[in-house]
Amino acid sequence: MNRNASLDKLKSEEFDICIIGAGASGAGCALDAVLRGYKVAIIDKKDFASETSSRSTKLIHGGVRYLEQAFKKLDFAQLKQVRHGLEERHTVLKNAPHLARPLALMTPVGSWIEGLYFKIGLQIYDTFATNDSLPKSKWLSKKEVLDKIPTLNKKKLHSGVLYYDGQLDDARYCLALVQSASEAGAVAANYLDVTGFTKNDSGKLVGVQVRDTQLGPEFIIKSKLVINCTGPFSDKVRLLANPALPERLRPSKGVHVVLPFETLNSEYAMLIPKTSDGRVVFAIPFEGAMMIGTTDTESDSIDSEATLNESEKQYLVDTLNPFLANQIDISKLKAGFGGLRPLLSADPSKSTKSLVRDHEVEVDSSSGLVSLLGGKWTTYRLMAKDTIDEADAILSKRNECLTANHMLAGGENFDPLLSEQLVSKYALPVDVARHLVRKYGSRATLVADFTSSDSTLKERLSTSYPYIKAEVIYTVRNEMVVAPRDFLARRVRLEITDWNETLKCLPVVANLMARELGWDESETKRQIDDYSLQLKQFIADAGA
């Protein structure tokens, strides 16, 4: 993906469909549309997956909480959401085997009655997972639970119920969708801010006016149809197209804290089934750390980035502490992150945590804008299918959806043993080779190739992590990395797992990028200073 080449095409060509928003839903729509034969443009105000789609709990799941609510409240909309999630779970795992994998989750219980309750519930969850290869749930003894998660509080533990869902690297999965769409013919570009629309004599949208936030100029992308996939920001785009539309979204903020891996000291994740506000909370191993999340609070503002604050940090730590033998040392907080859920609601009296994570495709009869509203990561493909089915109807086409079996970028000819070949051929350390395969899949060799001509590119960005200099060069040239945060937060996940190490290796990353992008000394310093200031503010907000 080359940004300058994309900009030239966006300025000079006309498209069948222009998609605004390159998170999971927008990227899913772009891939679906281009595979159906449409000429597609996809743009984002910031980087790909820079908002909600990179700030999830990293789970591919039907939603255990939705299942419980469905039976407790006889809410069959929740049941439909579980079924859709579990139907899509195996597809998400199958189509990007390097970025998504099964995850074992333990639910610790304090009595046999509680154990029976969760075992029955998770057996029902299993029955919804048809055509699925994941193991079924099991009720384990206290000893079996402690063998798997040795840090749990023995005194309060009776037994545990083990079940399986999937885990993904959300930002890179979204990038793989954009890459796959681009390689199938779509034109993708990041850092294009929508400032308005052009309309024909009938008032229908025929162009998207954008400003290049990197280079400055405004231009118009001509398109027969415009699809709004901006998640929690959807109302802004809807009202820009038609100010008479009512607002539809109730954004909800969710945050995660990231602690050392030793907090659980296990490759097993944990589901905490009871919290003070009626949610479930997960403790999940991710990228060599342990992540706890998430919260659910009404969001007052969508204009500033959702970040972790001190009270949210304390809530999540207090939720996990009763289950642990040793209390968490909060001074060991490594990082944290927040995001906004795009929840749909027609009833302002409902709390956000009671809202269903379902989606809706809205067509504005006045402007012709199509908006994909609501939804969640696991069902991104189904959401995209529904949206492009609607596009078919509008454009008087009838095309088959081909995404169910479309292997994503890096998944083609994927060999789990590729890391051994990288160690042998390029003399890379084992942990570096494994990391490259888990991030780039079958394309890991392309990253490693850079080290053949320049051995300094084998050097680690941080002594504590397997990320190497070659990745910076590769991602700038092939994955449209424009700013240091694109690389450190989303191409590798260092920002969300270790703030201090991110600050330490930021100058190295920025200087490597400067060589590729032609930054002078003052621009390189500005890039370092801007991102450094942002990270330090995150640390201050969290009271870390």
Side-chain angles (χ1 to χ4, degrees):
M1 297 193 300
N2 181 286
R3 188 169 187 271
N4 289 334
S6 290
L7 291 176
D8 289 342
K9 289 180 179 178
L10 291 172
K11 290 172 185 175
S12 61
E13 298 179 9
E14 183 177 2
F15 297 86
D16 296 319
I17 298 173
C18 179
I19 297 164
I20 304 169
S25 59
C29 283
L31 180 59
D32 194 337
V34 77
L35 292 179
R36 297 194 199 198
Y38 289 114
K39 188 172 182 180
V40 177
I42 177 168
I43 60 172
D44 199 284
K45 179 180 180 178
K46 295 182 182 175
D47 186 30
F48 311 116
S50 60
E51 296 288 350
T52 302
S53 294
S54 62
R55 293 139 190 255
S56 74
T57 310
K58 324 299 179 210
L59 288 176
I60 312 159
H61 64 125
V64 173
R65 178 169 67 94
Y66 308 134
L67 182 68
E68 186 177 33
Q69 287 182 1
F71 283 99
K72 277 186 175 178
K73 300 177 182 178
L74 297 178
D75 184 346
F76 295 107
Q78 300 274 12
L79 209 56
K80 183 179 81 168
Q81 186 67 9
V82 173
R83 184 171 57 81
H84 284 163
L86 290 175
E87 283 171 358
E88 288 298 308
R89 185 177 68 180
H90 74 280
T91 305
V92 178
L93 288 165
K94 169 176 62 84
N95 288 354
H98 57 306
L99 296 172
R101 55 198 59 87
L103 178 70
L105 294 104
M106 185 75 71
T107 305
V109 295
S111 68
W112 72 267
I113 295 175
E114 199 176 46
L116 183 63
Y117 176 78
F118 287 114
K119 175 56 182 161
I120 292 169
L122 287 165
Q123 272 186 320
I124 296 170
Y125 191 66
D126 288 340
T127 63
F128 278 92
T130 54
N131 302 318
D132 198 273
S133 59
L134 295 186
K136 300 303 181 186
S137 59
K138 292 179 185 175
W139 192 357
L140 303 182
S141 69
K142 179 176 180 175
K143 181 182 182 304
E144 288 173 313
V145 174
L146 290 169
D147 284 345
K148 290 172 171 53
I149 309 181
T151 52
L152 294 180
N153 185 341
K154 298 177 186 177
K155 294 177 183 174
K156 293 187 177 181
L157 183 69
H158 173 272
S159 55
V161 181
L162 180 69
Y163 76 103
Y164 287 80
D165 262 324
Q167 183 176 45
L168 82 167
D169 182 334
D170 50 9
R172 287 210 65 92
Y173 204 108
C174 182
L175 178 71
L177 287 166
V178 177
Q179 286 178 300
S180 301
S182 177
E183 288 166 16
V187 179
N190 50 7
Y191 293 98
L192 293 178
D193 186 15
V194 175
T195 57
F197 295 102
T198 56
K199 300 179 180 180
N200 62 17
D201 293 340
S202 304
K204 295 290 193 286
L205 305 184
V206 291
V208 182
Q209 187 172 321
V210 297
R211 180 175 65 87
D212 185 340
T213 62
Q214 297 299 300
L215 302 172
E218 291 201 3
F219 61 92
I220 291 169
I221 302 168
K222 299 188 198 110
S223 184
K224 295 171 188 168
L225 185 67
V226 179
I227 300 179
N228 170 22
C229 293
T230 55
F233 310 98
S234 295
D235 280 340
K236 279 193 167 187
V237 176
R238 292 171 66 247
L239 294 171
L240 194 61
N242 180 1
L245 289 172
E247 293 189 355
R248 298 290 313 280
L249 291 171
R250 293 268 305 281
S252 157
K253 179 186 175 186
V255 300
H256 297 77
V257 298
V258 180
L259 294 160
F261 179 82
E262 294 71 33
T263 309
L264 275 190
N265 199 29
S266 175
E267 289 296 340
Y268 287 75
M270 194 167 96
L271 165 66
I272 300 169
K274 291 179 182 175
T275 64
S276 58
D277 67 348
R279 287 186 54 78
V280 298
V281 165
F282 295 94
I284 296 176
F286 183 73
E287 301 281 307
M290 199 277 296
M291 189 173 72
I292 318 172
T294 178
T295 57
D296 189 334
T297 53
E298 194 97 30
S299 176
D300 298 327
S301 171
I302 61 169
D303 295 321
S304 55
E305 182 169 338
T307 58
L308 172 70
N309 65 38
E310 219 166 333
S311 64
E312 292 163 336
K313 172 184 74 177
Q314 200 59 53
Y315 162 78
L316 288 169
V317 168
D318 289 347
T319 299
L320 182 58
N321 264 336
F323 295 89
L324 299 178
N326 298 311
Q327 300 296 278
I328 292 166
D329 180 354
I330 198 62
S331 69
K332 292 186 177 177
L333 176 80
K334 296 181 71 179
F337 60 96
L340 296 173
R341 299 177 188 88
L343 301 178
L344 271 171
S345 175
D347 182 358
S349 67
K350 276 192 174 183
S351 71
T352 53
K353 61 177 173 279
S354 70
L355 297 178
V356 183
R357 296 292 300 277
D358 212 344
H359 67 276
E360 177 186 322
V361 182
E362 175 196 76
V363 181
D364 174 30
S365 58
S366 175
S367 69
L369 178 70
V370 178
S371 294
L372 172 52
L373 306 173
K376 64 174 191 168
W377 237 118
T378 305
T379 55
Y380 86 86
R381 195 196 68 83
L382 179 64
M383 293 156 57
K385 178 184 180 301
D386 290 348
T387 307
I388 306 305
D389 283 349
E390 192 64 50
D392 271 354
I394 293 167
L395 296 170
S396 302
K397 306 276 187 182
R398 192 183 179 105
N399 297 301
E400 185 185 354
C401 175
L402 300 173
T403 53
N405 297 304
H406 189 83
M407 191 65 73
L408 300 183
E412 65 280 358
N413 305 312
F414 178 67
D415 180 1
L417 300 177
L418 177 59
S419 61
E420 295 174 15
Q421 298 170 38
L422 296 184
V423 171
S424 169
K425 183 177 178 181
Y426 299 95
L428 291 170
V430 172
D431 65 329
V432 171
R434 285 177 180 161
H435 153 69
L436 293 179
V437 172
R438 282 171 71 111
K439 286 288 172 280
Y440 306 93
S442 55
R443 303 180 184 197
T445 308
L446 302 177
V447 184
D449 278 341
F450 282 102
T451 68
S452 297
S453 54
D454 183 352
S455 61
T456 66
L457 295 179
K458 286 184 185 178
E459 293 172 7
R460 294 174 190 257
L461 297 170
S462 160
T463 55
S464 306
Y465 292 92
Y467 315 134
I468 60 173
K469 290 180 177 179
E471 293 177 80
V472 182
I473 308 301
Y474 177 82
T475 57
V476 169
R477 293 185 188 178
N478 298 284
E479 296 182 356
M480 221 177 277
V481 163
V482 169
R485 193 178 190 194
D486 299 343
F487 178 79
L488 287 162
R490 289 175 288 276
R491 303 308 184 272
V492 299
R493 310 311 305 276
L494 193 56
E495 183 194 289
I496 67 165
T497 55
D498 197 326
W499 283 329
N500 287 328
E501 285 301 311
T502 303
L503 283 167
K504 282 182 190 175
C505 67
L506 170 57
V508 178
V509 171
N511 280 294
L512 286 166
M513 290 183 65
R515 276 173 21 196
E516 290 294 309
L517 296 170
W519 296 341
D520 60 19
E521 193 175 323
S522 66
E523 176 60 16
T524 306
K525 183 178 183 303
R526 185 188 72 80
Q527 293 279 352
I528 293 170
D529 290 347
D530 286 356
Y531 188 25
S532 176
L533 189 67
Q534 197 171 26
L535 280 170
K536 287 172 181 174
Q537 187 59 55
F538 296 161
I539 294 169
D541 288 347

